[in-house]
Amino acid sequence: MSSKAMSAEDVKGKLLQGAFQHKGSAVSQLSDPIADTPMVVTLDQLRPYDHNPRLNRNPIYDQLKESIRSRGLDAPPAITRRPGETNYLIRNGGNTRLAILNELWAETRDEQYWKIHCLYRPWAARGEIIALTGHLAENDMHGALTFVERALGIDRAREFYEQEGGKPLSQRDLSRRLAEDGYPVSQPHISKMQDTVQFLLPAIPKLLYAGLGKPQIERLTALRRSAEKTWRQHAGEAAAHIDFDGLFQDVLASFDDAPDFTVERFQDELIHQMQQPLGKDYNWLKLDMLEARGAAPEPVAGTPVTDKPRRSAAQPTSTKDPTTTPEPLIPPLDSGPDDSPHPLSQPAEVASEQRPEQDSRALIDAHVISPIVGLTPRIQAMKQQLAKASGEPLPDFAESCLQAIPVQVGGLHPVSDLWYIERQIDTPDELRLQICGLVHDIAQTAQLQVEVYPATTGTGYALGDPDDVKGRSVLVGLLHALGGQPGAEIPVGAIAALLIGAAPQGTQVLPARLDDETLVKLFRVIRLARRLADLEAES
């Protein structure tokens, strides 16, 4: 069956009909490309990356602007777009170029600055982390970030990683993840950055954003750690209500507007503010902080180093004249020998002349049970010179080894001489603090599940109830007795077994043995407790 041919009128009617109507909803935005795609975008479609680590003006901003004005944009930035957002954003570096293009467009209205040929790269599954690490790397290559900008960027990266993994991230894991994403940073460097963000930035934002250098920041963070350790070591009930972090930041904040900030001046003021609540001498606090840091601070190139003189706690800080040159804390280490010989040094010098150097070194090493961390020859020389200046010569471990039998035990409360008691701790309150610290070390070293509490009476400490059978050992009973607490009687044989590591002949007491470090600290506790009893009897 053949179809009927259309007449001329039918064809004319079809042609005169209206256009086809699209009955679906209008598309407001085309989908983004799924592969890297060149495209032309205008300035109103672009915005800078909202987590850009650079907060200050790029130091080469003016040079870049003149280059773009004369040559055009040689290296257009890569762009991307978060799913569902309208504007494109800079993907991995180029926020400075975008700001310059906006300035040049406002100045010239030249179309070459308005329309930009860019490479669009799709938003990745881990887009936030990829974008942030890309900006960190790009900014480091084209105009260095300040230390605090890099620290804040890495802190933001840590937040993204924790959101991605759903759990907190250690510094070591953060270092590994950053390296995997193309921005390697060592764990110690991350530690300094986190200390900067947590402890320094709230106090000195102006100094940090103005570009305070890495050497000074590292010295500030090291100073904070050593000062905190010294504070915890000496803080008693009188200073228990003072928050050290708050004290540190309050003192540091007073230097935020200082035009000639130096770490030495801040250290001087910090020690001064620590003096009164701790009840300690300025010089001894400074030495304690140097020992806690492990070495004397090295001067930063271009920074004048000024050791502050001893100052009383009552002296107001407003009277300080920053232009004056203070007296040095101690005589220089290369000064000539004193005419009067050290009372403990002469026999050692004679003995060292008669003993080969290797034998002397072997004898010293044989009496080091565990080394005291931070007691460098320089620190020891400083302590000796300070003691000479105050009329109290200290026994020197290396020299005394050649004529006596000293020991050396490290830890939080180290021991370098069992018998000698320094003048600075020869008071009932200080002796109690020392004894309590040593007992705490003993409990930790022997892994006793018992709490040690400071006390202002008696021997200076009290023990809580032990948590397990091991906590009810002979050692705990002995510590109870030394602390003056009532407890079960301890068999003499058990004490002997504890001290010598073998049961006395003819007894059935099971042998127990203290390690050398714990034994030395136990002897030191007994020595200090005897001196405390003498002072209490004299008063």
Side-chain angles (χ1 to χ4, degrees), residues 1-285:
M1 177 178 171
S2 60
S3 60
K4 184 179 178 182
M6 295 180 64
S7 64
E9 290 296 326
D10 291 337
V11 174
K12 182 179 179 181
K14 294 287 186 182
L15 294 174
L16 292 176
Q17 286 182 356
F20 292 104
Q21 299 294 321
H22 177 66
K23 296 181 180 179
S25 59
V27 177
S28 58
Q29 178 178 308
L30 295 176
S31 61
D32 291 330
I34 61 174
D36 292 0
T37 305
M39 61 171 57
V40 178
V41 294
T42 55
L43 288 180
D44 60 342
Q45 296 177 288
L46 269 176
R47 63 180 177 83
Y49 178 55
D50 44 359
H51 300 304
N52 182 25
R54 185 181 297 284
L55 303 175
N56 291 323
R57 179 185 174 92
N58 192 318
I60 59 173
Y61 187 96
D62 293 332
Q63 296 95 307
L64 285 175
K65 183 174 181 180
E66 289 308 311
S67 175
I68 293 174
R69 187 196 302 272
S70 59
R71 296 169 49 85
L73 191 61
D74 288 336
I79 63 173
T80 189
R81 180 158 58 184
R82 291 190 180 98
E85 292 194 358
T86 303
N87 291 97
Y88 298 98
L89 54 86
I90 303 297
R91 185 179 185 273
N92 59 345
N95 297 283
T96 298
R97 282 169 281 171
L98 179 59
I100 291 172
L101 289 171
N102 276 289
E103 276 191 15
L104 292 173
W105 164 250
E107 293 171 5
T108 65
R109 293 295 170 176
D110 190 331
E111 285 290 323
Q112 67 168 323
Y113 306 128
W114 177 251
K115 293 182 179 180
I116 313 168
H117 292 266
C118 295
L119 176 65
Y120 173 85
R121 307 193 72 173
W123 184 260
R126 303 174 65 242
E128 294 293 356
I129 294 173
I130 298 301
L132 179 55
T133 53
H135 278 274
L136 283 166
E138 186 74 14
N139 276 302
D140 271 351
M141 288 188 294
H142 300 91
L145 294 171
T146 63
F147 189 91
V148 70
E149 288 174 331
R150 191 180 294 107
L152 287 170
I154 289 178
D155 191 59
R156 178 59 60 87
R158 177 189 55 79
E159 295 177 5
F160 288 159
Y161 284 124
E162 290 180 348
Q163 291 172 7
E164 182 182 55
K167 62 180 181 180
L169 205 63
S170 68
Q171 293 178 359
R172 193 171 301 279
D173 287 338
L174 176 57
S175 175
R176 177 180 56 81
R177 298 290 296 274
L178 286 169
E180 291 172 354
D181 288 324
Y183 190 69
V185 184
S186 68
Q187 182 272 324
H189 203 58
I190 289 176
S191 176
K192 294 169 186 173
M193 288 180 169
Q194 291 188 352
D195 283 352
T196 300
V197 173
Q198 182 178 357
F199 300 113
L200 304 187
L201 184 58
I204 49 171
K206 294 179 183 177
L207 283 174
L208 289 173
Y209 288 133
L212 189 66
K214 177 185 172 185
Q216 288 180 299
I217 291 175
E218 288 179 336
R219 295 180 67 203
L220 282 174
T221 56
L223 174 61
R224 194 203 69 80
R225 286 192 294 269
S226 61
E228 182 182 29
K229 185 175 180 179
T230 301
W231 178 272
R232 290 180 177 178
Q233 182 178 353
H234 296 297
E237 294 183 359
H241 65 286
I242 301 177
D243 175 53
F244 173 78
D245 288 340
L247 172 67
F248 178 87
Q249 291 184 350
D250 287 344
V251 177
L252 185 58
S254 65
F255 289 84
D256 196 27
D257 293 314
D260 53 350
F261 171 77
T262 62
V263 178
E264 287 74 24
R265 287 183 179 175
F266 166 66
Q267 175 182 274
D268 170 58
E269 185 61 30
L270 178 63
I271 296 175
H272 171 64
Q273 295 298 331
M274 292 169 61
Q275 272 185 271
Q276 189 168 359
L278 296 182
K280 295 291 181 182
D281 178 75
Y282 174 96
N283 291 339
W284 284 114
L285 279 179

